[in-house]
């Protein structure tokens, strides 16, 4: 009897996740920004040197670079990206370059000089077609968490290496 109740509750919860996920929009946009105590040239150099990410980004184990395409190996597995410098030294876009993933999207980095500091704004534009993954990405993992972690890691790297 207890097993039937537990099974029924599990099915009810799974159904709720699917329904709520289906009601969420497939696409999302979220932005995080930070004022960094470093000039834009220094911030750009860290962001643009993707091969150095394992030295300062938490969770990134390795990066393989092939021209403007790079593959990050992290605790989330391997994800391929393609870089596009929209405005060299000021605006960069990294787009997921793997159609087999259950999500897609891009991060656009915009650097603005604020005196001797840099305001970095990162905008994520993502899409999660599967309603279960959409529910999890919104309520369990949070769209903003990865952006905040990236900015925290970047800030620490700038403080550690000096300006």
């Amino acid at each position: 009897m207890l097993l039937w109740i537990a099974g029924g509750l599990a099915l009810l919860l799974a159904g709720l996740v699917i329904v709520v996920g289906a009601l969420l929009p497939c696409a999302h946009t979220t932005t995080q920004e930070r004022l960094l105590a470093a000039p834009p040239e220094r911030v750009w150099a860290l962001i643009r040197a993707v091969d150095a990410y394992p030295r300062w980004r938490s969770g990134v184990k390795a990066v393989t670079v092939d021209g403007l395409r790079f593959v990050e190996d992290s605790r989330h597995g391997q994800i391929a990206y393609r870089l596009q410098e929209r405005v060299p030294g000021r605006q960069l876009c990294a787009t997921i370059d793997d159609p087999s993933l259950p999500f897609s999207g891009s991060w656009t980095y915009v650097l603005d000089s604020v005196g001797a500091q840099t305001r970095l704004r990162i905008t994520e534009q993502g899409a999660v077609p599967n309603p279960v993954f959409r529910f999890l990405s919104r309520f369990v993992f949070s769209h903003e968490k990865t952006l905040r972690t990236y900015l925290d890691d970047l800030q620490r790297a700038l403080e550690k290496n000096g300006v």
Side-chain angles (χ1 to χ4, degrees), residues 12-35:
L12 183 63
L13 181 61
L16 185 62
V17 165
I18 292 169
V19 168
V20 171
L23 294 173
L24 293 170
C26 179
H28 68 271
T29 300
T30 187
T31 300
Q32 293 287 308
E33 70 176 51
R34 179 91 40 101
L35 188 61

Side-chain angles (χ1 to χ4, degrees), residues 1 5 9 11 13-15 20 26 36 40 42 55 62-63 71 85 90-91 99-100 102 105 113 132 154:
M1 177 69 171
I5 293 172
L9 287 175
L11 282 174
L13 181 61
V20 171
C26 179
L36 301 163
R42 175 79 175 115
R55 290 196 291 267
V63 174
V71 178
E85 289 186 23
R90 185 165 181 276
Q91 188 178 34
S100 71
S113 181
V132 174
L154 179 62

Side-chain angles (χ1 to χ4, degrees), residues 46-47 49-65 70-81 107 109 146-147 149-151 153-154 156:
L46 274 174
I47 292 170
V50 295
D51 57 326
Y53 281 3
R55 290 196 291 267
W56 62 269
R57 287 194 53 205
S58 56
V60 176
K61 300 175 199 171
V63 174
T64 307
V65 180
F70 69 99
V71 178
E72 268 186 18
D73 186 4
S74 72
R75 62 179 172 253
H76 305 294
Q78 292 189 341
I79 301 177
Y81 297 91
W107 277 18
Y109 306 77
T146 306
L147 290 171
T149 300
Y150 182 94
L151 288 169
D153 290 346
L154 179 62
R156 274 191 297 278

Side-chain angles (χ1 to χ4, degrees), residues 95-112:
T95 303
I96 294 174
D97 193 29
D98 184 348
S100 71
L101 293 174
F103 52 86
S104 62
S106 65
W107 277 18
T108 301
Y109 306 77
V110 177
L111 290 77
D112 290 310

